[in-house]
Amino acid sequence: MADPVVVDIPHKLGRDVARARIAGGVGKIAEIVPGGGQVEQRWEGDTLHFSVAAMGQKVASRLQVFEDKVHAEVDLPPMLALFASKVREKLVDKGLKLLR
């Protein structure tokens, strides 16, 4: 497996508001995966674990919500690793919009 795409997205919302915005917009975040389809999600404390089915592959991701940032990790399977820079770019863009 390729190295995960790792991004820290800063915010000034506080942990609870940031968590609520992420919970309400996880579908938009899932759009970062090219060819993405079905989304599964679950919260463990302040960490959202979600996966997206894409091109016959499963992309697992974690979003850990902190008071001043969201730490995101996306595990791309080798077939989708070619899209790592695009995934990183979209993750930052959609994350910043969601956390405004």
Side-chain angles (χ1 to χ4, degrees):
M1 177 162 298
D3 290 335
V5 173
V6 178
V7 175
D8 285 322
I9 304 167
H11 67 81
K12 295 180 181 179
L13 301 171
R15 185 186 321 256
D16 293 338
V17 174
R19 189 179 189 279
R21 291 212 184 155
I22 289 169
V26 74
K28 292 178 184 173
I29 295 170
E31 294 172 0
I32 66 168
V33 179
Q38 183 178 1
V39 177
E40 296 177 8
Q41 62 177 314
R42 66 182 164 76
W43 284 93
E44 284 183 10
D46 290 321
T47 302
L48 172 64
H49 297 269
F50 72 97
S51 62
V52 181
M55 295 191 238
Q57 303 286 314
K58 190 172 189 176
V59 178
S61 306
R62 291 157 309 287
L63 299 176
Q64 189 172 5
V65 182
F66 293 95
E67 195 66 30
D68 61 349
K69 70 179 179 181
V70 173
H71 179 77
E73 294 184 21
V74 179
D75 299 322
L76 294 174
M79 182 178 152
L80 296 175
L82 297 170
F83 300 104
S85 63
K86 192 58 131 173
V87 167
R88 181 178 289 106
E89 180 182 307
K90 284 185 169 186
L91 182 57
V92 169
D93 180 57
K94 292 197 182 286
L96 286 172
K97 286 179 183 173
L98 191 61
L99 295 171
R100 280 193 189 145

